[in-house]
Amino acid sequence: MRRFLRPGHDPVRERLKRELFQFNKTVEHGFPHQPSALGYSPFLHLMAIGTRSGAIKLYGAPGVEFMGLHEENNTVMQILFIPDKCQLVTLLDDNSLHLWSLKQHSGACELREDHRFTLKGPPGSPPSVTQITAVLPHSSREVLYLGTESGNIFVVELPSFRVLEDRTITSEAVLQWIPEDYCNRRSCELVEALQEHPKNPDQILIGYSRGLIVLWDWQNNKVTHHFLGSQVLNQSKGSSYGRKSSLLSGHSEDKWLQEEPDKACPFPCKAISKIYWQTTRNGLPYIIFQGGMPRASYGDRHSISVIHGSQQTAFDFTSRVIDFFIIFSSEPTAEFDDPSAMVVLAEEELIVIDLKSAGWPAVHPPYLASLHCSAITCSHHVSNVPLKLWERIVSPWPIDGGTNIAPDPPQRDLLLTGHEDGTVRFWDASGVCLHLLYKLSTVRVFLTDADPNDNMNTVGEDEWPPLRKVGTFDPYSDDPRLGIQKIYLCKYSGYLAVAGTAGQVLVMELNDEDAEHVVDHVEADLLQDQEGYRWKGHEKLKTRDGPVQFEAGFQPLVLVQCQPPAVVTSLALHSEWKLVAFGTSHGFGLFDHQQKRLVFVKCTLHPSDQLALEGPLSRVKSLKKSLRQSFRRIRRSRVSSRKRRGGGGNTSEVREYIYDHCYKANGKFDQDILQEMELAPVQRKIEARSAEDSFTGFVRTLYFADTFLRDSSRHCPSLWAGTNGGTVFAFCLHVPPAERRMDEPVRAEQAKEIQLMHRAPVVSILVLDGHNIPLPEPLEVAHDLSKSPDMQGSHQLLVVSEEQFKVFTLPKVSSKLKLKLTALEGCRVRKVMVANFGSCKTDDYSENDLAVLTNLGDVQIISLPFLKLQIRYPCIRKEDVSGIASCVFTKYGQGFYLISPSEFERFSLSTKWLVEPRCVVDVPEVSSNNHMHSRSIMENIAAVLAYCFNFLQFPEVLKEIQSTLEGGRG
């Protein structure tokens, strides 16, 4: 039997791998990119959002999320829920209709597409005949009404989407019932609105773009009422009616009409595209409308106005309003609407206004967070956060459909995001919902050009209407130098290090009370006054003089300012030793934040690294050099592809030959040997980099370790630094004991320097103890959350470069083992982290492995310490450079990466640690006499205009409105 096994095949290990590793994309955190449609089901209490890429996402109670994706990459134009059912219909911009259902599978619900339908007209007819402009799901749940651009209305059967041709309403049939003098019986134009009569399901209200509104009776196939408007009806959004009274209509020319016509806007205003009338028990209705602001002063505003008695507020949103809906009483027999909340989908965020509380405050959503309120510049994940560091903020949430049946998160996790405006946001990443727990701003430490009192959105008290800005989206930074580049948080001590674009490094400590103090300032000259170097980039940020007031939370202890003020590229914090290390493109330094003293700085700048002195805004030379190098690689690859080896050489033999001969004894790359070989398309040659290449002094990684550096008998604290030129520096540190910590200085002495032969950038450095286990985090042993490292056996040093993994013995630093990833796979390492993988079968077994992300978007798991590839998964598209650059791994085999500026994709590599939505939607019982749901108007989110039919039954009111219109016309 053994002879049939592949060399190296271990059945026991293969079984164990299946118990440890499994790749799943689990949930998307954040705000959908480019939203295009909004829907709401008062029956299910679920909200739906559609995007321009064809995705639809359903949200209910926190943790209740569903996602569907159309096969077509088309924009979702409308989302409509079928009344009293777990179904919804989507309309795409290719004029196709799609029916979706929530169905049970393995104990949980899933969103699945049932049918697809495209309305077709007679042969040879123009596209406008069947171009859908309005959709109305009937309360019988059996048909859809489809209004078209030609003015015709088609009826299709559900769920088969069969067209009922005998029920089609043509515009000619409607015009037969309209007076002859109506604009010389001109065409009705497109259908803007369809609305079902709230008391008679056989009648529907039809609104045309020319201003004609008719009530059509299906039983008699005729128009029973009609209204001839003088204004063109608005497109794409609708109005609403109250349960007790009132007709509201929005028009395109500065008018909004209601029961009291004298309430019309007194100024030339923008069009009102959607309007609601909501009744209350106290008799004062809520009038809510989008647009309608004075055109001269507020033409560029994105506003929704709310009027309730003497209260009036115009909410000014930070981006274009896609759509909105009102949440009100869910009881079908309720006499009044009693609105409780307004949910607004803007282009960049979701805003919820509490209409029950005084002042109509905004409610923080438990999901759909606007992660990109300021552009994300870096991310940092902290697993298993202690309770004392955890502050949870809980707000009531009006959308509460469905039931979350996922198990409670096994631990508390934090995701920290750094932003361009100098803020750090702390997110609860424990479960499906990404909650904002805390926002930290570093701006107060510095003097910026922005005046805090200079607010372009401020409106004087005497101006009309009162305007209130809502939302957090603000893509503009006062100063790009404030941008956060690196974050390091110690979850045990509460120390936080934050580094920025202008070389600023802030060390902070958690304080439960407000405080006012002076932030100490220390400069670190990384060039060490060397001659011949001149910084051409931006200036450092100016600090505030005197004491600064800080709120409770993380407060700065000290500011370390790097000189030159280049971007901080690496950061490490050791809270037990009270040390912080920082690196830039010029070198690195060590700072004692207990004594507030600089320990040392090390310049890594090579004489040829002139580009490193030009700053991030001067990259023309670098770009030219990159293009030049790219063309050279293309030419070399073409030459190689034309030269064929004779005979059927074995690929593995070719690879072995490359490994043995592509480097000379002096490390110089032998071009001639590789030119004679044919490499597989996925392979990429390991190219030895010259020491004269630019940015070789760029410090990529910093690492603290208590290990054997000088000899095998004594271990000591150490600092390791890896550069872009493949150099590793090791420093021995002398940290005084606690009783003499403030009296004696921390001393450092360089002990080792390793130069990798291929000079590839060093991505990560790791020390393994005598049991081949990575050294624990600072204070982890002191809190009994990790075993003490084995300090008896020999330690090993793992150096991960972009092109290979290499293990050295300590303290001699002799090469022991290596894995040449690039030569094997034709890829480069972008991110790497040690992750703990537990077996899904038993709690007694777990192991530490390396989680590796490559520039091809693949995620690989490599065993420690033997560097054996365990499994490979395709994760991110190789073209998605920003997604690869933003990826962060967690300590327990999960990860996050940006799939858009506003969304994190969460994935899992572990069978044991899995966070994904698992929820059910229970369908409430519907009584037989309740098929005419009094809130069916809410299902028709996409309607342009909705009218209260009570008005149509009172001719005197209709005449009064018509006379008002005629008077205004004259």
Side-chain angles (χ1 to χ4, degrees):
M1 182 65 183
R2 291 182 178 177
R3 64 177 179 169
F4 292 103
L5 296 176
R6 296 190 303 272
H9 181 77
D10 184 354
V12 177
R13 180 60 186 172
E14 293 297 321
R15 176 183 57 80
L16 187 58
K17 284 163 60 174
R18 290 192 294 270
E19 296 177 3
L20 294 172
F21 312 123
Q22 183 180 1
F23 178 76
N24 289 287
K25 291 187 178 181
T26 55
V27 65
E28 294 179 0
H29 296 300
F31 184 77
H33 185 51
Q34 294 182 329
S36 57
L38 177 68
Y40 178 67
S41 170
F43 176 70
L44 300 174
H45 289 208
L46 292 178
M47 173 179 62
I49 295 177
T51 69
R52 294 186 195 174
S53 60
I56 54 171
K57 301 182 179 184
L58 270 62
Y59 300 91
V64 178
E65 297 184 12
F66 305 96
M67 179 177 174
L69 186 64
H70 295 86
E71 292 183 5
E72 305 83 357
N73 189 23
N74 291 91
T75 300
V76 180
M77 302 300 294
Q78 297 185 35
I79 303 176
L80 303 109
F81 283 87
I82 305 300
D84 304 336
K85 296 188 74 173
C86 287
Q87 290 182 321
L88 65 151
V89 173
T90 56
L91 172 65
L92 304 188
D93 63 353
D94 65 353
N95 207 43
S96 63
L97 287 167
H98 302 257
L99 180 65
W100 299 79
S101 298
L102 287 170
K103 295 183 178 179
Q104 290 265 356
H105 178 71
S106 300
C109 285
E110 294 180 355
L111 183 63
R112 297 181 181 178
E113 184 177 2
D114 294 336
H115 296 286
R116 182 187 186 281
F117 168 75
T118 300
L119 186 62
K120 296 181 180 179
S125 60
S128 61
V129 173
T130 55
Q131 184 66 44
I132 300 173
T133 56
V135 182
L136 171 65
H138 194 260
S139 60
S140 65
R141 307 182 294 278
E142 295 177 353
V143 294
L144 283 178
Y145 299 110
L146 307 177
T148 63
E149 198 172 282
S150 62
N152 298 331
I153 298 170
F154 297 88
V155 183
V156 296
E157 193 177 46
L158 289 176
S160 63
F161 280 126
R162 182 173 65 90
V163 179
L164 304 179
E165 296 182 0
D166 57 329
R167 299 185 63 178
T168 300
I169 306 175
T170 63
S171 57
E172 291 78 9
V174 171
L175 289 175
Q176 290 179 359
W177 304 93
I178 306 303
E180 292 285 342
D181 58 348
Y182 173 63
C183 300
N184 299 321
R185 296 179 60 86
R186 62 184 177 182
S187 172
C188 296
E189 294 296 332
L190 60 87
V191 178
E192 290 283 7
L194 291 173
Q195 179 59 49
E196 185 177 345
H197 196 294
K199 296 181 179 180
N200 186 351
D202 293 326
Q203 293 183 345
I204 64 167
L205 193 72
I206 308 170
Y208 296 95
S209 61
R210 291 288 188 181
L212 172 64
I213 302 163
V214 300
L215 184 63
W216 180 267
D217 187 344
W218 286 107
Q219 292 290 340
N220 301 307
N221 286 328
K222 68 174 185 177
V223 173
T224 60
H225 297 83
H226 67 274
F227 175 71
L228 305 178
S230 63
Q231 304 288 339
V232 175
L233 298 189
N234 278 334
Q235 191 171 358
S236 81
K237 299 288 193 305
S239 61
S240 182
Y241 65 88
R243 285 177 175 168
K244 291 290 289 183
S245 65
S246 64
L247 165 128
L248 282 182
S249 63
H251 293 269
S252 63
E253 296 182 10
D254 321 326
K255 298 283 187 179
W256 64 275
L257 301 176
Q258 63 157 8
E259 195 171 13
E260 302 175 25
D262 59 342
K263 290 285 182 122
C265 174
F267 304 103
C269 299
K270 293 175 65 178
I272 294 176
S273 55
K274 186 170 184 176
I275 192 164
Y276 282 96
W277 174 287
Q278 300 284 284
T279 59
T280 61
R281 295 184 182 278
N282 62 10
L284 294 174
Y286 277 85
I287 303 172
I288 305 168
F289 56 92
Q290 177 183 350
M293 296 288 286
R295 186 179 283 120
S297 303
Y298 306 100
D300 58 343
R301 304 282 185 174
H302 311 290
S303 66
I304 295 178
S305 299
V306 180
I307 302 174
H308 179 59
S310 60
Q311 301 179 63
Q312 179 174 354
T313 298
F315 293 98
D316 181 23
F317 298 92
T318 58
S319 56
R320 182 174 62 92
V321 175
I322 303 296
D323 203 350
F324 74 100
F325 61 84
I326 309 299
I327 298 178
F328 49 87
S329 176
S330 59
E331 292 296 327
T333 57
E335 189 177 1
F336 299 94
D337 298 312
D338 288 327
S340 59
M342 177 175 67
V343 180
V344 182
L345 176 66
E347 201 165 35
E348 303 293 350
E349 59 186 324
L350 183 81
I351 298 102
V352 180
I353 305 298
D354 183 0
L355 298 178
K356 285 290 188 183
S357 301
W360 299 334
V363 178
H364 295 290
Y367 41 66
L368 290 169
S370 181
L371 298 174
H372 66 316
C373 48
S374 174
I376 296 176
T377 50
C378 65
S379 301
H380 177 68
H381 189 272
V382 183
S383 298
N384 207 6
V385 177
L387 185 60
K388 67 178 182 179
L389 191 62
W390 196 263
E391 295 180 5
R392 185 179 295 276
I393 302 172
V394 180
S395 299
W397 182 241
I399 301 172
D400 55 2
T403 304
N404 181 15
I405 60 174
D408 292 334
Q411 60 187 27
R412 293 175 291 270
D413 288 354
L414 279 177
L415 180 66
L416 280 65
T417 54
H419 297 264
E420 191 181 27
D421 62 354
T423 60
V424 178
R425 285 170 170 79
F426 291 63
W427 305 92
D428 174 7
S430 309
V432 172
C433 296
L434 201 65
H435 299 273
L436 179 63
L437 298 179
Y438 173 64
K439 176 184 173 182
L440 165 69
S441 177
T442 62
V443 178
R444 290 190 180 183
V445 180
F446 306 103
L447 287 170
T448 61
D449 296 334
D451 184 357
N453 298 320
D454 183 18
N455 187 353
M456 298 298 292
N457 294 301
T458 303
V459 177
E461 294 181 358
D462 298 333
E463 294 193 32
W464 185 93
L467 196 71
R468 187 203 303 176
K469 184 176 180 179
V470 288
T472 59
F473 178 72
D474 185 8
Y476 306 106
S477 175
D478 295 333
D479 194 329
R481 296 175 297 173
L482 292 168
I484 306 299
Q485 297 297 328
K486 295 292 176 182
I487 305 170
Y488 200 107
L489 171 67
C490 177
K491 59 189 177 184
Y492 305 112
S493 64
Y495 283 111
L496 172 68
V498 176
T501 303
Q504 69 271 29
V505 180
L506 281 167
V507 181
M508 303 185 174
E509 187 176 22
L510 194 59
N511 190 351
D512 294 332
E513 298 180 355
D514 295 354
E516 185 178 18
H517 62 264
V518 177
V519 179
D520 293 320
H521 178 219
V522 177
E523 287 204 357
D525 183 9
L526 295 174
L527 292 182
Q528 299 172 310
D529 298 323
Q530 297 188 37
E531 296 182 0
Y533 294 106
R534 186 171 63 89
W535 173 247
K536 302 176 184 178
H538 49 238
E539 296 180 356
K540 67 177 183 180
L541 286 161
K542 296 179 181 179
T543 56
R544 294 185 183 274
D545 298 327
V548 181
Q549 181 71 33
F550 297 102
E551 299 175 349
F554 284 97
Q555 299 173 353
L557 294 175
V558 63
L559 166 67
V560 181
Q561 178 61 57
C562 297
Q563 288 289 10
V567 174
V568 177
T569 58
S570 54
L571 187 68
L573 174 71
H574 201 293
S575 52
E576 191 173 359
W577 302 338
K578 304 295 191 297
L579 298 174
V580 60
F582 50 89
T584 71
S585 55
H586 308 118
F588 60 97
L590 181 65
F591 183 77
D592 178 359
H593 64 81
Q594 184 164 356
Q595 293 188 8
K596 298 181 180 178
R597 167 183 173 273
L598 192 65
V599 179
F600 78 90
V601 291
K602 170 74 173 177
C603 180
T604 59
L605 196 66
H606 192 274
S608 66
D609 282 356
Q610 291 299 320
L611 289 178
L613 292 167
E614 296 184 2
L617 301 181
S618 179
R619 298 297 302 277
V620 178
K621 293 181 181 178
S622 177
L623 177 61
K624 288 181 179 178
K625 183 170 183 178
S626 298
L627 290 172
R628 192 161 54 243
Q629 291 172 344
S630 298
F631 282 118
R632 285 173 181 171
R633 283 196 294 267
I634 292 172
R635 285 198 297 269
R636 283 198 298 266
S637 64
R638 287 177 177 173
V639 171
S640 299
S641 64
R642 286 196 296 264
K643 294 185 178 181
R644 304 295 182 182
R645 285 191 70 196
N650 192 312
T651 305
S652 61
E653 294 177 358
V654 175
R655 290 174 177 171
E656 293 296 332
Y657 189 77
I658 294 172
Y659 299 158
D660 295 337
H661 298 88
C662 69
Y663 289 101
K664 297 292 188 182
N666 61 359
K668 185 178 178 181
F669 188 71
D670 194 337
Q671 293 281 356
D672 296 332
I673 293 176
L674 281 180
Q675 291 289 348
E676 296 300 323
M677 300 179 185
E678 177 187 358
L679 301 181
V682 295
Q683 296 181 12
R684 193 190 64 80
K685 293 174 283 191
I686 297 182
E687 299 179 5
R689 293 164 173 80
S690 169
E692 285 74 30
D693 282 353
S694 296
F695 295 106
T696 56
F698 186 114
V699 180
R700 293 286 292 266
T701 183
L702 292 164
Y703 176 68
F704 286 107
D706 186 1
T707 186
F708 301 93
L709 192 54
R710 292 197 175 276
D711 56 60
S712 58
S713 59
R714 290 178 299 172
H715 57 88
C716 66
S718 63
L719 172 66
W720 301 76
T723 73
N724 214 45
T727 306
V728 177
F729 299 96
F731 282 76
C732 283
L733 307 178
H734 172 71
V735 182
E739 60 273 11
R740 300 195 306 274
R741 183 65 177 81
M742 288 299 295
D743 302 326
E744 298 181 13
V746 176
R747 298 192 303 273
E749 182 181 357
Q750 184 170 338
K752 306 286 183 184
E753 181 175 339
I754 307 170
Q755 179 61 59
L756 301 180
M757 293 179 64
H758 59 297
R759 298 184 182 274
V762 178
V763 178
S764 179
I765 299 173
L766 181 69
V767 173
L768 306 177
D769 69 4
H771 292 313
N772 296 319
I773 298 174
L775 297 182
E777 297 179 22
L779 297 176
E780 197 170 18
V781 176
H783 285 77
D784 297 325
L785 295 173
S786 176
K787 294 181 180 179
S788 298
D790 178 24
M791 309 302 286
Q792 302 300 321
S794 61
H795 286 191
Q796 298 180 81
L797 172 69
L798 172 63
V799 178
V800 181
S801 73
E802 283 190 353
E803 299 185 347
Q804 72 177 13
F805 301 78
K806 197 165 188 177
V807 175
F808 300 87
T809 60
L810 289 176
K812 292 184 178 180
V813 194
S814 58
S815 178
K816 180 181 179 182
L817 185 67
K818 61 184 174 182
L819 171 63
K820 296 183 178 180
L821 185 71
T822 296
L824 278 173
E825 311 298 339
C827 56
R828 294 190 180 191
V829 176
R830 285 291 177 257
K831 298 290 176 68
V832 62
M833 184 174 180
V834 177
N836 183 268
F837 294 91
S839 171
C840 62
K841 299 293 184 182
T842 174
D843 295 333
D844 300 333
Y845 183 81
S846 66
E847 65 181 42
N848 292 306
D849 297 287
L850 290 175
V852 181
L853 175 70
T854 72
N855 64 328
L856 302 180
D858 292 338
V859 173
Q860 303 182 15
I861 299 175
I862 297 175
S863 65
L864 287 174
F866 303 111
L867 302 182
K868 298 292 184 183
L869 177 62
Q870 300 300 298
I871 202 159
R872 180 192 299 110
Y873 302 109
C875 180
I876 310 174
R877 292 182 302 107
K878 64 180 180 180
E879 299 84 8
D880 187 2
V881 178
S882 62
I884 294 173
S886 64
C887 181
V888 291
F889 289 111
T890 77
K891 192 176 179 180
Y892 294 98
Q894 297 186 53
F896 301 82
Y897 69 93
L898 288 172
I899 55 175
S900 73
S902 59
E903 293 172 286
F904 273 113
E905 175 77 67
R906 186 178 191 140
F907 64 89
S908 176
L909 307 172
S910 171
T911 58
K912 189 174 183 179
W913 301 91
L914 192 68
V915 175
E916 61 180 349
R918 186 169 175 81
C919 40
V920 294
V921 175
D922 297 322
V923 183
E925 293 185 4
V926 182
S927 59
S928 59
N929 60 353
N930 189 37
H931 70 280
M932 275 306 298
H933 199 278
S934 63
R935 297 181 62 194
S936 61
I937 180 65
M938 290 302 295
E939 265 69 55
N940 191 12
I941 294 297
V944 179
L945 193 60
Y947 284 85
C948 175
F949 292 91
N950 293 340
F951 265 13
L952 297 179
Q953 296 172 1
F954 296 98
E956 62 274 11
V957 179
L958 191 61
K959 289 179 180 178
E960 182 181 349
I961 294 176
Q962 193 162 2
S963 63
T964 304
L965 288 174
E966 292 173 353
R969 191 183 311 168

